[in-house]
Amino acid sequence: MTLCEDDNNDGYYLPHHAVIKESSETTKCRVVFDASTKSSTGISLNDTLLTGPTIQETLWQQILRFRSHPFVITTDIEKMYRQIWVHSDDRKFQKILWYHEGEVRTFVLNIVTFGVKCAPFLAVRTLHQLAVDEESRFPKVAMLLRRDFYVDDFLSGADTLEDIMRIRDEMIKLLNRGGFVIRKWSSNHPSALDNIDKNIFDLDCGIQGNPIKKTLGIIWDSQRDVFSYSANPDASASTKRKLLSQIAKIFDPLGLLGPLTPYAKTLIQECWKANIT
């Protein structure tokens, strides 16, 4: 962000707050910006923006293709939104108030920002443009950049270990051309992570240490190469509200838990019949 030396109140101010996510391995404290807050005109920034079309494949397509490869690899882009510039003419619509030298001052955010309606489209479209620009240098991984990324998560694979290592090295180089750094590497074959050039990326968490990680919202054990699901029932006094909360947390885009979820929903039905609060 940049200090706004001459703030003439033209533009839009983004309210913001911190969100703590203890399960995150890299960024436990994230800043969330609320572009849906109404301004003095009664209109928010998101009211005036278009969402943009969906230009990436669906979640279940990504996961099904990921399971079809003998050798797979996953990674994500570090702070993806923050690597993408917003045009200088549009930055006045991303103002925030922040303390500077003991007083509240106005800053403008220079990059694509969480909470703005069009941010996901802009981020994905930027990756696709990078693939177009670098296709002549990296024809194979340019295609994978368009196909195997779901926002900032990369899930890809190949039939041989040599191919997966070639994809890994070329994807690092391709994304580096756009100023993107990828981290938290994980694979179902340990050799796929050997000899990663530390000069290409310098991160505290370059390689995933724990074999169990979340991949597109699903828990994947890279060591056993299986998907798993976990539930954390509340041991305190149970209510219908808490039970509904637990059921709502079940994320199953492939429908693998289809035979089990009716039991939870039946339990809710029985609670209503028994007038349990």
Side-chain angles (χ1 to χ4, degrees), residues 38-253:
K38 304 295 183 183
S39 68
S40 58
T41 63
I43 300 173
S44 70
L45 177 62
N46 280 346
D47 289 336
T48 66
L49 293 173
L50 296 176
T51 305
T54 301
I55 57 175
Q56 59 189 6
E57 294 190 3
T58 62
L59 187 62
W60 68 267
Q61 284 178 303
Q62 298 275 8
I63 297 173
L64 281 179
R65 183 168 53 245
F66 175 70
R67 299 308 302 157
S68 68
H69 301 293
F71 298 92
V72 294
I73 198 164
T74 68
T75 184
D76 67 30
I77 298 176
E78 180 193 24
K79 300 180 178 65
M80 178 182 178
Y81 284 19
R82 298 184 181 276
Q83 313 308 318
I84 303 171
W85 292 113
V86 169
H87 195 280
S88 56
D89 293 343
D90 299 324
R91 293 174 186 174
K92 65 182 180 180
F93 300 106
Q94 296 189 156
K95 290 182 177 180
I96 70 165
L97 298 176
W98 194 252
Y99 280 103
H100 179 67
E101 296 180 350
E103 58 181 304
V104 177
R105 300 290 299 275
T106 299
F107 287 79
V108 293
L109 303 178
N110 302 323
I111 42 82
V112 172
T113 302
F114 294 98
V116 177
K117 184 191 290 186
C118 59
F121 167 75
L122 294 176
V124 175
R125 179 63 182 85
T126 300
L127 283 189
H128 286 201
Q129 187 61 47
L130 177 61
V132 172
D133 294 344
E134 301 296 331
E135 192 167 15
S136 59
R137 287 189 179 91
F138 309 98
K140 171 65 176 177
V141 292
M143 182 272 293
L144 297 180
L145 181 58
R146 289 190 294 265
R147 190 193 72 179
D148 289 354
F149 262 96
Y150 192 82
V151 191
D152 62 341
D153 289 308
F154 180 59
L155 288 79
S156 192
D159 293 333
T160 67
L161 181 60
E162 291 75 17
D163 285 342
I164 200 69
M165 294 182 73
R166 189 179 307 111
I167 290 171
R168 179 202 73 186
D169 294 340
E170 291 189 5
M171 186 60 73
I172 290 173
K173 295 175 182 177
L174 170 58
L175 288 173
N176 188 54
R177 296 281 298 177
F180 296 104
V181 175
I182 40 183
R183 59 179 184 175
K184 294 195 294 187
W185 290 89
S186 187
S187 175
N188 63 346
H189 196 291
S191 296
L193 305 178
D194 290 344
N195 303 318
I196 294 181
D197 189 351
K198 296 294 180 64
N199 295 321
I200 295 178
F201 63 99
D202 182 16
L203 293 172
D204 295 333
C205 189
I207 298 177
Q208 182 80 13
N210 188 349
I212 301 176
K213 62 172 290 188
K214 271 199 172 183
T215 301
L216 299 184
I218 301 176
I219 300 172
W220 177 54
D221 185 338
S222 60
Q223 201 168 55
R224 296 189 297 141
D225 196 14
V226 296
F227 286 142
S228 62
Y229 297 83
S230 64
N232 299 301
D234 194 339
S236 62
S238 296
T239 64
K240 289 199 296 290
R241 181 187 295 273
K242 290 182 179 179
L243 186 57
L244 282 169
S245 175
Q246 290 297 322
I247 295 173
K249 290 177 182 177
I250 299 174
F251 183 66
D252 182 30

Side-chain angles (χ1 to χ4, degrees), residues 8-25:
N8 55 9
N9 292 323
D10 181 28
Y12 180 83
Y13 288 84
L14 288 168
H16 54 92
H17 63 276
V19 172
I20 306 298
K21 185 179 180 182
E22 292 294 343
S23 61
S24 175
E25 297 183 1

